[in-house]
């Protein structure tokens, strides 16, 4: 009689072990495939197209203006970085 309850509990843990092993292996395979194929987890590669040529300088300038408005950078640093961005556009 004692074997019946002992085996039942052991079988339950064995099922749980195998289910977790299979799920863990699946997750590991997905992570490895993304790592070796250059897959992105942040969604930045959705659609497969790069942003328009003018989009990056505009966004860079917008970020610079936001940082200046929040007081994160000084006027001198703002002007210096703005010149750098404008030189890169040419």
């Amino acid at each position: 009689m004692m074997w019946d309850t002992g085996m039942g509990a052991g079988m339950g843990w064995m099922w749980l072990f195998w289910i977790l092993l299979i799920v863990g292996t699946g997750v590991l395979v997905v992570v490895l495939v993304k790592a070796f194929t250059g897959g992105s987890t942040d969604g930045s590669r959705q659609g497969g197209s790069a942003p328009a040529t003018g989009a990056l300088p505009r966004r860079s300038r917008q970020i610079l203006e936001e940082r200046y408005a929040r007081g994160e950078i000084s006027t001198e640093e703002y002007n210096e970085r703005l010149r750098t961005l404008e030189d890169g556009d040419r």
Side-chain angles (χ1 to χ4, degrees):
M1 282 291 178
M2 289 180 62
W3 282 99
D4 289 338
T5 54
M7 288 293 285
M11 291 297 285
W13 286 110
M14 187 178 288
W15 278 105
L16 180 64
F17 168 77
W18 284 109
I19 289 172
L20 291 175
L21 183 68
I22 291 169
V23 169
T25 302
V27 169
L28 181 64
V29 168
V30 169
V31 168
L32 289 175
V33 166
K34 283 190 174 196
F36 286 113
T37 60
S40 177
T41 57
D42 63 356
S44 62
R45 296 186 65 175
Q46 289 179 347
S49 62
T53 310
L56 290 176
R58 278 196 306 262
R59 179 67 182 135
S60 299
R61 186 178 180 138
Q62 181 183 7
I63 291 171
L64 181 63
E65 290 171 354
E66 289 171 0
R67 290 189 64 202
Y68 180 64
R70 286 192 298 260
E72 293 178 11
I73 57 176
S74 67
T75 303
E76 295 81 22
E77 189 173 1
Y78 170 79
N79 289 329
E80 179 183 331
R81 290 181 185 213
L82 186 59
R83 278 193 301 275
T84 303
L85 283 175
E86 289 172 350
D87 288 343
D89 289 344
R90 294 180 194 156

